[in-house]
Amino acid sequence: MEMTLQLTIDCADPRRLVAFWSEALGYVPEPPPGGHATWRDYWADMGVPEEELPVGAGESPESIVDPTGQGPRVWFQQVPEPKVAKNRVHLDLKVGGGRDVPLAIRTQRVTTVVERLTTAGAAVLRIMDEPDMEYYAVVLQDPEGNEFCVV
C-alpha cells in the first residue's frame, strides 16, 4: 500500500496561512483538481454535502504544495476553536547550512530569512543564541500563533 504524507494545520483563516506559508516554504497554492474552478466545486462534485462545509470553505486554495514535488502537501484546515496552547509539533526551516558553515554565516542566513518572514506576518518569540555552543536559531510564530524555528 502506498503512503503519502500531508501536514495538516488547524486554523481560523486558511487564506491567510496559505499566503504566509507559501512565502515561508517556497510552496504554491494547490489548484483545484480536474479543471474545477474552486475546491468547493470539486467537493460538491465528489458528493460532499453543503452542510459539512464551513462558510467560504474551498472558495480559495486551502492547501499548498512543493512545486518540485519533493515536500509534503500542507493543508490548512479551518476549525471554529482558537489555538489555546503551545503546539507540540513544529516546523524547523533549516537555512543556516549546518555546523560545517561558520557561525557568522549561519547567523546571517537565519537573520535574512527571519526578516523576510516577519515582513510576511511572523512574530519573533525568542532568539536562541548560544555562541559557546556555536548555535543560532530564532523561534517565531506564524500569523495565527503557530510556533516554528529558523535554524
Side-chain angles (χ1 to χ4, degrees):
M1 177 170 71
E2 182 181 327
M3 180 183 78
T4 59
L5 174 66
Q6 170 178 284
L7 174 63
T8 302
I9 299 175
D10 290 350
C11 65
D13 186 355
R15 286 179 297 180
R16 186 176 182 196
L17 292 189
V18 162
F20 177 81
W21 284 104
S22 291
E23 172 68 24
L25 300 175
Y27 275 37
V28 296
E30 183 178 29
H36 291 86
T38 67
W39 278 92
R40 193 173 197 94
D41 291 343
Y42 170 73
W43 295 328
D45 282 353
M46 296 296 295
V48 176
E50 187 70 25
E51 60 271 11
E52 289 185 19
L53 301 173
V55 174
E59 295 299 335
S60 61
E62 297 174 352
S63 55
I64 59 176
V65 292
D66 180 353
T68 69
Q70 298 292 318
R73 176 182 194 257
V74 182
W75 176 39
F76 300 96
Q77 176 177 301
Q78 186 176 2
V79 297
E81 66 277 354
K83 181 179 181 294
V84 295
K86 181 183 185 303
N87 40 306
R88 301 290 293 179
V89 175
H90 70 267
L91 301 179
D92 283 345
L93 306 184
K94 297 173 83 175
V95 301
R99 291 190 182 261
D100 291 339
V101 175
L103 180 60
I105 293 171
R106 284 185 278 142
T107 299
Q108 182 55 53
R109 289 175 179 173
V110 168
T111 300
T112 299
V113 171
V114 168
E115 289 171 356
R116 180 173 57 85
L117 296 180
T118 54
T119 298
V124 174
L125 288 180
R126 67 184 167 280
I127 295 173
M128 301 168 62
D129 186 3
E130 304 290 338
D132 294 339
M133 295 178 57
E134 291 285 313
Y135 184 75
Y136 186 82
V138 179
V139 180
L140 299 106
Q141 286 181 322
D142 75 9
E144 287 202 6
N146 299 301
E147 293 181 25
F148 65 102
C149 296
V150 179
V151 181

